[in-house]
């Protein structure tokens, strides 16, 4: 894949969503985003007003999470959050989908939830976080279709607080489902340029990460050797390998593990790599 | 744009002949900086041009060079180090050994780029460099003393702000494991460089400098340093892992991957690893961090063990005196490490050699009370090694000679006579190739592929795969050679890329150096070292690991693996531009401007 350092930087949402985040940290985040010309800063609602002020003369967007990180609040509450942060200047809203409703197959509620946020977002872009680690592939496809139907601008893999991060497998399915007209944002566990390039290759056009600077700086190594991109063992990037019964619904966990039994790369499934 | 301070190009090469006690200053030839920067590169070039092939490393014909680089004592982070370059008595190769602390900065501030010591004195001496004044002084009062006393006494005799690089009894007795110590706890440890000082009856160099150091392009340097500092702050290894735990942070990581050499590399997992880990050091012994000159990382440790303040211990020392010998007593390890510092012994080689002895005993090749897991008698044995007494005198030659002497050369875990450090090569293919091809023997720092293969820095690559590893090893070897010639700390490598080093090297020297040019300088140094070693009789057969690494580990997370050197070595030679026997081609040497 040929992508410049600058192009890679333009895919990154420079992210800080931890509860202990201070104003000083937000200031640093914004300064770094301007230095590296990242696409956006992704922050919690309490910091939106400050970030908007700091970034007012730059091209860096302010992205705010809504219904975060569980997505288990009411559509009206998510809508109100959205209206408020957009009024404060947020350019983008990353909402968390109602995952429980999706698993209940209450698709109307899932759609209404997204529509409420889209309606409240004005000119701001809406990205819908599916939390892919809580669902199987079929549910992911359904979730993508609902989001598209509800008028969202992006689908997004994960909150970073859930059971799994973004994987090329999930991103590929999401891109194939929503087509070219929507964006696909990958977030959660993306720490290196190799992971970022793989995710982009799978179809993502936005990456959420708190490690953006490391990704960009380390990408400068790529010009000195092609060997960085040597293929890894297939299990390294497979969501089935990341499945965790302590964090996932039992049937989701077992679905992932079932796939290992029929995986063509089964011989790589050793626990010493 | 330059300021009024002293530039690197204005620093001197200080030639000190101990045979006739003459001291001469020379300017650094411009092409030497352009082609080799300084530090390691400068030293290797001087040795290649001036040492006759086949000389005894412990004879007056050998030179020992203490060098700094264009970045030393500037605002470049970690640039207070110095490098010792000589022909090694342990390996017979050209050798560079590095130390942190504050000595390098003092040397540079005295207006010196390198001290080149030739000949040998008949009586013990030390060199006192006080800015432009240089004296060869009598050292008989400190001869025989440990490194801490030597340091204190020489500071008393010179200047309280001076810095000392000295040897202990091990160097005086010219054992192959002898180190050079500075600031009491920092060591140019490897290759027996301390023995070369001892052979010249040079107990110490004491330096005090007050010159202001300048660079050719201060504006460019200011920008690059600002950026370099930010990168160190943003990198998890340099901003968290190393400052919090020091280098022992690696112990649990390496153990969990089943590649922590245990019982002389018979196993790769140490059952009591947690007890000797960085986490345990922090909880039990560590008192404060130690930062070398100009270092924002602070990986060094000052600890308290058995009521005594001691330096370290570092990861490699914990391993060599601990798991390598089957020992799980962290406090004892800290004391043993301190003992090595006082006597001026390389902890890696001494621990590895004692581990080798333990296996010889285990296999009935040698009758002795030393056995795995038992600390009894080891401190005394270390004393005996330093003073070349009894069996200690034999151990002081290193594991290669010792194991051969007892009929089991395969039990010495070494390459080219230098003991291999704390990563079992069976678990990391690229790192294994780095060991085998290292110009100074079994060394983890010539190409630290533990970064990408274990720590995921800059990205994680499959540690079991041989694909692409030759390419990465060459990249790291060339970059390391350039870094060692600037002279900066290896740990910056977690945070900085090739371009960052190039920017700083260019700003310091005023030369047009980009990333590719920096790597070319590194390649030139690497190939010159190779030519030196070929001239000394080294061949392809020396680019090999001990036979143990062709046998799989029995258990742990690196089980069922062997080091696949034979798979990678041909590709390595080919990518280097060497023939099948490992000789650089004429075309390559011409390209690199290396005389044939």
């Amino acid at each position: 894949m040929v992508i410049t350092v600058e192009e890679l930087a333009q895919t990154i949402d420079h992210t800080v969503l931890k509860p202990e985040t201070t104003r000083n940290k937000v200031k640093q985040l914004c300064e770094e985003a301007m230095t590296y010309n990242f696409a956006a800063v992704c922050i919690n609602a309490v910091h939106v007003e400050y970030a908007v002020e700091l970034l007012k003369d730059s091209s860096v967007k302010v992205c705010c999470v809504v219904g975060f990180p569980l997505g288990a609040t009411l559509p009206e509450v998510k809508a109100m959050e959205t209206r408020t942060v957009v009024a404060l200047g947020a350019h983008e809203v990353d909402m968390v989908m109602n995952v429980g409703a999706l698993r209940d197959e209450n698709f109307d509620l899932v759609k209404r939830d997204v529509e409420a946020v889209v309606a409240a977002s004005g000119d701001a872009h809406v990205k819908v976080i599916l939390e892919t680690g809580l669902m199987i592939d079929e549910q992911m496809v359904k979730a993508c279709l609902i989001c598209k139907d509800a008028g969202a601008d992006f689908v997004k893999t994960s909150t970073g607080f859930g059971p799994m991060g973004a994987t090329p497998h999930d991103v590929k399915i999401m891109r194939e489902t929503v087509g070219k007209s929507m964006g696909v944002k990958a977030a959660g566990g993306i720490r290196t340029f190799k992971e970022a390039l793989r995710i982009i290759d799978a179809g993502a056009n936005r990456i959420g990460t708190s490690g953006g600077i490391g990704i960009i700086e380390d990408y400068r190594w790529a010009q000195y050797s092609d060997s960085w991109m040597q293929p890894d063992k297939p299990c390294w990037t497979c969501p089935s390998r990341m499945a965790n019964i302590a964090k996932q619904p039992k049937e989701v966990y077992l679905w992932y593990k079932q796939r290992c039994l029929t995986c063509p790369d089964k011989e790589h499934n050793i626990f010493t790599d | 744009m330059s300021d009024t301070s002293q530039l690197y190009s204005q620093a001197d090469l200080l030639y000190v002949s101990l045979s006739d006690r003459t001291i001469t200053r020379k300017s650094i030839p411009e092409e030497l900086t352009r082609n080799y920067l300084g530090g390691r590169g400068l030293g290797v070039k001087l040795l290649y041009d001036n040492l006759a092939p086949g000389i005894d490393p412990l004879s007056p014909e050998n030179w020992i060079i203490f060098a700094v680089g264009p970045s030393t004592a500037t605002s470049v982070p970690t640039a207070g180090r110095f490098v010792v370059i000589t022909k090694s008595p342990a390996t017979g190769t050209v050798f560079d050994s590095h130390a942190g602390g504050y000595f390098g900065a003092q040397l540079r501030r005295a207006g010196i780029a390198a001290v080149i010591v030739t000949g040998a004195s008949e009586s013990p001496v030390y060199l006192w460099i006080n800015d432009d004044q240089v004296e060869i002084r009598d050292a008989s009062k400190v001869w025989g003393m440990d490194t801490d006393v030597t340091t204190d006494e020489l500071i008393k005799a010179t200047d309280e702000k001076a810095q000392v690089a000295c040897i202990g009894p091990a160097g005086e007795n010219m054992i192959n494991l002898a180190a050079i110590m500075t600031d009491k706890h920092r060591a140019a440890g490897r290759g027996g460089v301390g023995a070369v000082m001892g052979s010249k009856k040079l107990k110490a160099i004491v330096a005090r400098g007050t010159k202001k150091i300048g660079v050719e392009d201060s504006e460019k340097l200011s920008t690059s340093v600002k950026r370099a500092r930010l990168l160190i702050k943003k990198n998890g290894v340099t901003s968290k892992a190393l400052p919090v735990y020091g280098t022992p942070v690696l112990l649990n990581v390496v153990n969990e991957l089943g590649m922590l050499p245990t019982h002389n590399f018979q196993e790769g997992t140490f059952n009591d690893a947690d007890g000797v880990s960085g986490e345990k050091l922090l909880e039990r012994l560590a008192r404060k961090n130690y930062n070398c000159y100009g270092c924002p990382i602070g990986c060094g440790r000052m600890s308290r063990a058995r009521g005594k303040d001691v330096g370290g211990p570092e990861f490699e020392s914990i391993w060599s005196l601990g798991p390598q010998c089957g020992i799980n007593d962290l406090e004892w390890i800290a004391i043993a490490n301190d003992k090595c510092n006082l006597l001026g012994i390389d902890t890696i080689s001494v621990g590895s050699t004692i581990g080798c002895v333990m296996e010889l005993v285990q296999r009935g090749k040698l009758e002795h009370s030393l056995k795995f897991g038992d600390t009894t008698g080891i401190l005394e044995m270390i004393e005996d090694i330093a003073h070349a007494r009894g069996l200690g005198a034999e151990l002081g030659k290193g594991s290669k000679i010792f194991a051969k002497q007892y009929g089991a050369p395969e039990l010495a875990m070494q390459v080219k006579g230098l003991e291999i450090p704390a990563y079992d090569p069976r678990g990391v293919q690229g790192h294994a190739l780095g060991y085998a091809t290292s110009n100074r023997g079994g060394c983890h720092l010539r190409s630290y592929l533990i970064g990408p293969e274990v720590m995921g820095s800059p990205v994680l690559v499959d540690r079991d795969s041989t694909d692409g590893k030759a390419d990465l090893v060459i990249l790291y070897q060339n970059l390391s050679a350039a870094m060692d010639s600037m002279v900066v700390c290896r740990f910056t490598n977690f945070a900085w890329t090739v371009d960052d080093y190039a920017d700083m090297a260019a700003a310091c020297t005023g030369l047009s150096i980009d990333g590719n040019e920096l790597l070319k300088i590194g390649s030139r140094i690497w190939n010159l070292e190779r030519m030196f070693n070929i001239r000394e009789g080294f061949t392809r057969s020396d680019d090999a690991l001990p036979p143990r690494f062709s046998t799989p580990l029995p258990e742990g997370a690196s089980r069922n693996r062997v080091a696949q050197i034979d798979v990678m070595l041909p590709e390595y030679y080919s990518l280097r531009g060497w023939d099948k026997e490992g000789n650089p081609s004429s075309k390559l040497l011409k390209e690199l401007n290396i005389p044939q």
Side-chain angles (χ1 to χ4, degrees):
Chain A
M1 179 193 306
V2 180
I3 181 170
T4 64
V5 170
E6 292 73 23
E7 286 167 342
L8 183 59
Q10 263 297 291
T11 68
I12 289 176
D13 284 358
H14 199 33
T15 303
V16 168
L17 293 168
K18 290 180 181 169
E20 70 270 24
T21 303
T22 59
R23 275 171 72 86
N24 200 34
K25 180 74 184 172
V26 172
K27 183 167 183 280
Q28 183 189 341
L29 185 83
C30 292
E31 287 169 354
E32 289 167 354
M34 287 188 281
T35 302
Y36 286 86
N37 199 23
F38 289 138
V41 292
C42 186
I43 52 178
N44 282 301
V46 289
H47 301 298
V48 166
E49 193 171 12
Y50 185 44
V52 167
E53 173 61 22
L54 292 169
L55 295 169
K56 65 184 176 189
D57 296 324
S58 83
S59 61
V60 179
K61 301 280 190 287
V62 174
C63 169
C64 179
V65 290
V66 162
F68 196 84
L70 304 178
T73 189
L74 301 169
E76 295 76 10
V77 176
K78 291 181 188 174
M80 189 193 72
E81 268 194 86
T82 303
R83 265 192 299 277
T84 307
V85 297
V86 169
L88 289 171
H91 308 98
E92 299 179 353
V93 171
D94 283 14
M95 67 167 286
V96 186
M97 198 183 67
N98 187 333
V99 184
L102 185 90
R103 296 185 69 238
D104 284 339
E105 299 190 358
N106 188 350
F107 302 130
D108 286 344
L109 177 55
V110 175
K111 188 179 175 193
R112 197 151 39 86
D113 195 42
V114 177
E115 284 174 338
V117 170
V118 170
S121 65
D123 292 335
H125 279 186
V126 174
K127 310 189 198 103
V128 185
I129 304 171
L130 309 187
E131 200 65 283
T132 52
L134 293 173
M135 54 186 70
I136 63 174
D137 287 358
E138 288 79 358
Q139 291 167 325
M140 189 163 43
V141 169
K142 183 66 182 172
C144 285
L145 293 172
I146 291 172
C147 293
K148 189 172 185 180
D149 204 25
D153 299 289
F154 272 78
V155 283
K156 175 177 169 182
T157 58
S158 329
T159 58
F161 290 75
M164 284 186 194
T167 65
H169 170 87
D170 293 344
V171 168
K172 189 162 182 285
I173 289 177
M174 290 163 73
R175 173 54 71 195
E176 284 170 357
T177 305
V178 301
K180 292 180 180 173
S181 60
M182 279 183 82
V184 174
K185 177 174 171 180
I190 304 168
R191 309 292 307 174
T192 69
F193 72 81
K194 190 172 183 177
E195 290 161 348
L197 295 183
R198 273 203 195 114
I199 288 285
I200 291 170
D201 202 35
N205 55 339
R206 196 73 77 85
I207 290 169
T209 177
S210 57
I213 292 180
I215 289 171
I216 294 302
E217 291 296 343
D218 289 343
Y219 189 40
R220 297 178 203 277
W221 279 99
Q223 66 183 298
Y224 297 107
S225 174
D226 294 331
S227 300
W228 301 117
M229 297 305 288
Q230 286 284 338
D232 297 322
K233 292 188 180 85
C235 294
W236 282 15
T237 52
C238 178
S240 290
R241 183 64 181 274
M242 300 171 199
N244 184 335
I245 197 167
K247 295 180 179 175
Q248 289 173 300
K250 186 176 75 177
E251 67 274 20
V252 173
Y253 172 78
L254 289 174
W255 179 83
Y256 276 113
K257 287 301 171 191
Q258 191 66 31
R259 296 189 338 162
C260 292
L261 297 174
T262 55
C263 177
D265 295 310
K266 193 178 170 184
E267 76 273 15
H268 292 289
N269 192 6
I270 51 174
F271 287 87
T272 57
D273 55 356
Chain B
M1 186 173 69
S2 65
D3 55 36
T4 55
S5 310
Q6 195 199 49
L7 305 171
Y8 181 72
S9 58
Q10 296 165 329
D12 288 329
L13 302 179
L14 186 74
Y15 285 82
V16 178
S17 168
L18 291 179
S19 295
D20 56 19
R21 301 210 168 205
T22 57
I23 296 168
T24 317
R25 286 178 183 268
K26 291 183 183 174
S27 302
I28 314 171
E30 191 269 338
E31 70 270 18
L32 195 54
T33 307
R34 184 157 25 86
N35 288 326
Y36 295 94
L37 290 178
R40 172 177 161 189
L42 177 146
V44 170
K45 174 65 173 162
L46 291 178
L47 293 186
Y48 186 80
D49 288 349
N50 291 284
L51 291 194
I55 60 156
D56 176 355
L58 298 179
S59 70
E61 285 72 38
N62 196 9
W63 288 15
I64 185 165
I65 299 172
F66 297 76
V68 294
S71 64
T72 307
T74 68
S75 58
V76 171
T78 78
R81 301 173 66 78
F82 70 101
V83 49
V84 181
I85 312 102
T86 189
K87 181 178 175 182
S88 161
T91 64
T93 64
V94 68
F95 207 97
D96 57 293
S97 192
H98 301 246
Y102 293 77
F103 178 79
Q106 289 295 332
L107 206 56
R108 176 70 187 90
R109 283 186 172 159
I112 289 170
V115 181
I116 300 135
V117 182
T118 66
S121 173
E122 288 182 358
S123 60
V125 294
Y126 72 96
L127 197 62
W128 167 222
I129 299 169
N130 184 14
D131 274 328
D132 294 332
Q133 304 297 314
V134 183
E135 294 173 54
I136 298 170
R137 288 186 169 184
D138 174 40
S140 53
K141 282 186 183 168
V142 288
W143 195 255
M145 290 187 178
D146 288 350
T147 57
D148 60 340
V149 178
T150 301
T151 301
D152 290 340
E153 289 299 317
L154 292 181
I155 285 175
K156 257 190 248 169
T158 54
D159 186 310
E160 64 177 3
K161 289 184 178 171
Q163 286 291 324
V164 178
C166 67
I167 56 171
E172 294 172 13
N173 292 304
M174 294 182 278
I175 69 155
N176 282 353
L177 319 181
I180 297 170
M181 303 301 300
T182 186
D183 211 15
K184 298 183 181 176
H185 310 295
R186 313 307 297 180
R190 310 228 65 199
V193 291
V196 179
M197 273 183 84
S199 73
K200 297 184 180 306
K201 290 275 195 297
L202 178 63
K203 178 69 175 176
I205 298 181
V206 186
R208 167 79 175 129
T210 57
K211 290 182 169 59
K212 193 181 168 198
I213 301 306
V215 297
E216 297 285 348
D217 190 339
S218 53
E219 208 170 295
K220 181 182 171 85
L221 187 67
S222 172
T223 306
S224 343
V225 165
K226 189 177 170 192
R227 179 184 148 76
R229 285 190 169 275
L230 172 72
L231 295 177
I232 285 174
K233 202 173 161 188
K234 294 297 290 183
N235 182 278
V237 178
T238 51
S239 70
K240 282 186 183 170
L242 287 171
V244 172
Y245 297 112
T247 52
V249 69
L250 281 162
L251 205 129
N252 273 336
V253 176
V254 175
N255 189 60
E256 279 171 21
L257 289 174
M259 39 181 273
L260 184 70
T262 299
H263 301 136
N264 198 34
F265 289 78
Q266 294 182 81
E267 295 127 49
T269 309
F270 186 54
N271 288 341
D272 297 324
D274 195 46
V276 295
S277 64
E279 291 82 346
K280 202 57 76 180
L281 181 70
L282 180 67
E283 289 169 9
R284 290 191 52 208
L285 306 179
R287 288 292 180 269
K288 59 180 180 181
N289 286 20
Y290 174 94
N291 293 60
C292 296
Y293 176 92
C295 178
I297 302 171
C299 72
R301 286 291 167 281
M302 295 303 294
S303 302
R304 192 158 179 84
R306 297 188 183 170
K308 188 182 181 207
D309 290 325
V310 297
E314 303 285 345
F315 165 60
E316 298 286 348
S317 308
I318 291 177
W319 159 74
S320 65
L321 299 163
Q324 162 73 357
C325 299
I327 291 166
N328 61 4
D329 183 342
L330 186 59
E331 198 160 7
W332 180 89
I333 291 169
I335 291 294
N337 176 68
D338 184 58
K339 171 76 78 182
C340 291
N341 288 347
L342 295 175
L343 295 167
I345 299 185
D346 173 19
T347 52
I348 295 178
S349 283
V350 81
S352 185
T353 302
I354 290 172
C356 173
V357 172
M358 289 172 166
E359 189 175 352
L360 284 164
V361 172
Q362 178 193 354
R363 294 183 184 277
K365 303 271 186 187
L366 168 68
E367 278 192 29
H368 196 276
S369 58
L370 283 177
K371 59 182 180 187
F372 286 118
D374 187 356
T375 59
T376 310
I378 295 182
L379 293 180
E380 291 76 12
M381 178 56 75
I382 292 172
E383 287 265 3
D384 285 347
I385 292 171
H387 289 96
R389 294 188 297 234
L391 187 68
E394 295 178 40
L395 264 67
K397 292 170 185 165
S399 63
K400 181 181 179 183
I401 295 173
F402 188 84
K404 189 177 174 188
Q405 199 172 320
Y406 284 86
E410 72 280 4
L411 300 188
M413 298 301 121
Q414 53 76 35
V415 173
K416 300 183 179 84
L418 190 70
E419 285 73 17
I420 294 171
Y423 311 91
D424 193 304
R426 285 166 284 195
V428 267
Q429 295 300 329
H431 202 65
L433 182 64
Y435 281 159
T437 57
S438 161
N439 283 333
R440 72 169 198 175
C443 166
H444 58 301
L445 295 171
R446 306 295 88 175
S447 55
Y448 192 69
L449 256 66
I450 296 302
E453 289 186 311
V454 170
M455 300 168 76
S457 171
V459 295
L460 192 64
V461 298
D462 185 350
R463 67 190 176 106
D464 293 328
S465 172
T466 56
D467 293 341
K469 293 298 171 64
D471 185 39
L472 290 181
V473 165
I474 291 169
L475 172 63
Y476 273 62
Q477 286 175 339
N478 290 349
L479 179 60
S480 299
M483 287 163 66
D484 291 344
S485 303
M486 284 176 66
V487 171
V488 289
C489 176
R490 191 67 92 251
F491 286 154
T492 55
N493 200 205
F494 291 114
W496 302 348
T497 66
V498 179
D499 298 340
D500 297 309
Y501 295 104
D503 285 347
M504 286 183 268
C508 290
T509 59
L511 297 167
S512 175
I513 300 174
D514 61 9
N516 287 315
E517 177 59 22
L518 189 79
L519 292 175
K520 189 175 180 183
I521 291 170
S523 174
R524 181 177 296 119
I525 295 164
W526 192 267
N527 278 281
L528 190 67
E529 290 171 344
R530 181 78 179 180
M531 292 301 289
F532 184 106
N533 291 345
I534 288 171
R535 196 169 71 180
E536 295 293 331
F538 286 84
T539 66
R540 177 191 173 117
S541 65
D542 296 297
D543 293 337
L545 298 180
R548 172 155 293 166
F549 303 121
S550 300
T551 306
L553 281 161
E555 56 185 27
S558 290
R559 67 186 181 280
N560 300 331
R561 293 152 161 92
V562 297
Q564 301 178 65
I565 299 301
D566 290 346
V567 175
M568 296 179 283
L569 197 61
E571 185 189 5
Y572 173 87
Y573 283 178
S574 170
L575 290 173
R576 272 274 177 215
W578 298 354
D579 66 19
K580 287 180 181 173
E581 294 305 311
N583 300 305
S585 68
S586 299
K587 185 181 166 214
L588 174 69
L589 294 176
K590 195 173 175 188
E591 273 173 19
L592 294 174
N593 197 21
I594 294 174
Q596 295 177 57

